């Protein structure tokens, strides 16, 4: 089945909601049309000239990038300058660009969760508290005979999660009434006759990003022609969402050993390190890209080391003064790993919805820095 760009956007929005992006950021569909049919997707960190050339060769329709191809507002598209060349080539070749930047850094399953995953951290939580996920309550009235099947559909779609608990719901029984009017095809009762039915009021919670999916799953199995249900917003705080992650190593190791692991896991030949080689590392903070600004948050969270990129001299000095080790593994290397996770996520969406779309992870873009 062919798939429109808008459907891909909605899928990306489930993974990394645009509402999570920082105010200064520029995310979403930055080039192209949401109505375009998409056959081939390329996932990359940066929309460089080389990446676009390869995308044209490969007949790519949509590039999903981490860094915004348009960041600061532009007042000209000059085709004798790199950005203008990229934008012009994209438009001529009818290639769209969708960007998930700070929203992908913050999202669960995004850049920083991927790093935490690669270092096999346990008890992982964000370093900053950017926002709390919105929670909604779903209440549905269902004949008692169909309560279990409806509850099962709702829970399978992801509702009813609280902390380390799933399938959280509550049901009360009572009498439901309805009077089928002309033109109705009631599951129970007759047209023109007031019906009284033993029903359950089934209630549970769900996060904002799964509301539509849960309601759709519920409606699919509910026996009634017109389903009585309510979705209402809650004041309760949902999942803590923020930048960076901190978590514990399965077993403590010295900094020198941890550095070896970082190099191996991220596939880099060299890193810059602040800290004593034999410092014991139990708790690790990570932040993909330029994350030295989270040093104090990492220290406050009790981290022994912060793994990030783009560390400046004075930030290194601050780390030494705070007694927190810091590993600069590079901006590129700390963000690159998320690409295959995004590809995997979209492939699962494609399989589930039977989209005929090819998804490729970029292998052209390289770190601009190299070690001599
Ligand atoms: Zn970045």
């Amino acid at each position: 089945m062919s798939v429109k760009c808008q459907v891909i956007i909605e899928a990306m929005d489930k993974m990394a909601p645009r509402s999570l992006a920082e105010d200064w950021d520029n995310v979403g569909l930055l080039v192209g049309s949401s109505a375009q049919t998409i056959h081939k997707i390329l996932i990359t960190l940066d929309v460089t000239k080389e990446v676009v050339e390869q995308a044209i060769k490969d007949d790519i329709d949509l590039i999903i990038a981490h860094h915004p191809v348009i960041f600061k507002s532009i007042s000209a598209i000059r085709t004798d300058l790199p950005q203008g060349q990229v934008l012009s080539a994209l438009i001529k070749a009818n290639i769209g660009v969708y960007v998930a930047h700070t929203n992908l850094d913050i999202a669960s399953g995004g850049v920083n969760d991927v790093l935490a995953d690669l270092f096999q951290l346990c008890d992982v939580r964000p370093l900053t508290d950017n926002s709390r996920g919105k929670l909604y309550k779903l209440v549905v009235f269902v004949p008692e005979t169909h309560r279990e099947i409806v509850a099962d559909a709702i829970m399978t779609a992801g509702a009813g999660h609280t902390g380390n608990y799933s399938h959280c719901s509550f049901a009360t029984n009572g009498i439901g009434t309805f009077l089928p009017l002309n033109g109705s095809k009631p599951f129970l009762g007759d047209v023109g006759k007031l019906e009284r039915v033993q029903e359950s009021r089934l209630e549970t919670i769900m996060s904002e990003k799964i509301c539509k999916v849960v309601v759709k799953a519920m409606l699919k199995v509910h026996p009634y022609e017109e389903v009585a249900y309510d979705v209402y917003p809650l004041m309760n705080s949902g999942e803590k969402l923020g930048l960076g992650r901190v978590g514990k190593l399965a077993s403590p190791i010295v900094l020198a050993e941890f550095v070896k692991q970082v190099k191996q896991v991220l596939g880099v030949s060299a890193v810059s390190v602040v800290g004593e080689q034999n410092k014991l590392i139990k708790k690790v903070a990570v932040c993909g890209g330029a994350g030295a600004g989270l040093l104090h948050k990492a220290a406050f969270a009790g981290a022994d080391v912060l793994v990030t990129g783009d560390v400046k001299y004075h930030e290194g000095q601050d780390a030494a003064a705070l007694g927190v080790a810091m590993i600069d593994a590079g901006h590129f290397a700390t963000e690159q790993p998320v690409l295959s996770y995004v590809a995997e996520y979209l492939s699962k969406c494609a399989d589930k919805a039977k989209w005929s779309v090819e998804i490729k992870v970029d292998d052209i873009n390289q770190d601009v820095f190299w070690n001599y």
Side-chain angles (χ1 to χ4, degrees):
M1 189 174 73
S2 66
V3 61
K4 295 282 183 196
C5 183
Q6 179 59 31
V7 177
I8 311 281
I9 291 173
E10 283 167 19
M12 282 304 297
D13 238 359
K14 265 184 216 152
M15 183 188 193
R18 278 169 284 174
S19 56
L20 290 180
E22 301 276 12
D23 294 342
W24 48 262
D25 207 355
N26 192 26
V27 300
L29 188 67
L30 303 190
V31 178
S33 160
S34 59
Q36 189 181 351
T37 301
I38 306 298
H39 304 282
K40 279 191 180 181
I41 299 174
L42 177 71
I43 300 168
T44 185
L45 278 190
D46 303 285
V47 188
T48 61
K49 196 177 158 197
E50 293 74 21
V51 167
V52 176
E53 280 167 3
Q54 190 60 42
I56 293 169
K57 275 188 206 153
D58 293 344
D59 286 327
I60 298 291
D61 309 290
L62 179 67
I63 297 176
I64 294 179
H66 183 49
H67 294 131
V69 64
I70 302 169
F71 189 46
K72 292 177 190 152
S73 59
I74 53 174
S75 51
I77 300 177
R78 290 266 305 263
T79 53
D80 54 342
L81 294 173
Q83 191 190 24
Q85 285 165 357
V86 162
L87 293 174
S88 159
L90 287 167
I91 290 164
K92 278 184 196 159
N94 205 22
I95 298 174
V97 178
Y98 181 87
V99 168
H101 189 210
T102 47
N103 46 331
L104 190 61
D105 292 328
I106 291 169
S108 44
V111 172
N112 291 303
D113 269 336
V114 167
L115 283 179
D117 208 29
L118 288 175
F119 297 129
Q120 299 180 324
L121 303 183
C122 332
D123 303 331
V124 176
R125 58 189 173 84
L127 279 175
T128 66
D129 193 354
N130 283 50
S131 67
R132 296 281 173 160
K134 284 185 190 154
L135 287 176
Y136 287 78
K137 172 157 282 202
L138 170 65
V139 176
V140 55
F141 299 87
V142 54
E144 283 179 32
T145 50
H146 287 69
R147 188 181 64 217
E148 292 313 313
I149 189 173
V150 168
D152 191 48
I154 289 171
M155 299 304 162
T156 305
H161 269 269
T162 302
N164 291 328
Y165 294 83
S166 70
H167 295 77
C168 303
S169 71
F170 188 80
T172 41
N173 294 336
I175 303 290
T177 67
F178 53 85
L179 196 155
L181 301 175
N182 282 340
S184 62
K185 290 180 187 155
F187 172 72
L188 293 168
D190 301 311
V191 172
K193 191 178 155 205
L194 182 69
E195 196 65 30
R196 296 168 73 84
V197 182
Q198 285 288 338
E199 288 183 348
S200 292
R201 173 195 159 105
L202 180 65
E203 56 189 282
T204 187
I205 54 162
M206 55 191 175
S207 66
E208 185 179 29
K209 67 179 179 183
I210 60 165
C211 277
K212 280 186 190 165
V213 180
V214 171
V215 169
K216 202 171 163 189
M218 179 273 289
L219 292 174
K220 201 171 171 188
V221 297
H222 198 293
Y224 284 178
E225 190 177 18
E226 296 293 339
V227 178
Y229 71 96
D230 308 311
V231 175
Y232 38 95
L234 301 176
M235 294 295 284
N236 314 37
S237 294
E239 181 190 14
K240 179 182 168 182
L241 298 164
L243 285 165
R245 296 292 184 269
V246 61
K248 289 182 201 146
L249 287 176
S251 46
I253 51 170
V254 294
L255 180 60
E257 285 304 310
F258 183 64
V259 167
K260 279 186 203 161
Q261 265 189 27
V262 170
K263 285 166 68 177
Q264 194 200 350
V265 164
L266 299 180
V268 289
S269 57
V271 294
S272 298
V273 184
V274 174
E276 297 289 332
Q277 290 201 16
N278 56 0
K279 178 184 167 69
L280 197 62
I281 306 298
K282 295 179 197 163
K283 218 172 191 186
V284 174
V286 294
C287 185
L294 296 183
L295 176 65
H296 286 267
K297 296 273 183 197
F300 189 68
D304 302 299
V305 64
L306 170 64
V307 183
T308 185
D310 291 352
V311 178
K312 293 178 189 162
Y313 175 71
H314 290 297
E315 292 166 339
Q317 279 188 320
D318 288 345
L322 279 167
V324 177
M326 187 140 68
I327 302 173
D328 183 344
H331 195 122
F332 181 87
T334 52
E335 291 187 335
Q336 176 79 357
V338 77
L339 302 184
S340 52
Y341 281 67
V342 174
E344 202 179 308
Y345 163 76
L346 281 178
S347 297
K348 276 187 195 156
C349 296
D351 287 349
K352 207 170 161 190
K354 298 193 169 43
W355 303 337
S356 50
V357 68
E358 207 179 298
I359 298 158
K360 196 185 158 196
V361 175
D362 160 48
D363 53 8
I364 292 289
N365 196 24
Q366 300 284 329
D367 195 340
V368 284
F369 297 104
W370 56 281
N371 294 302
Y372 185 67

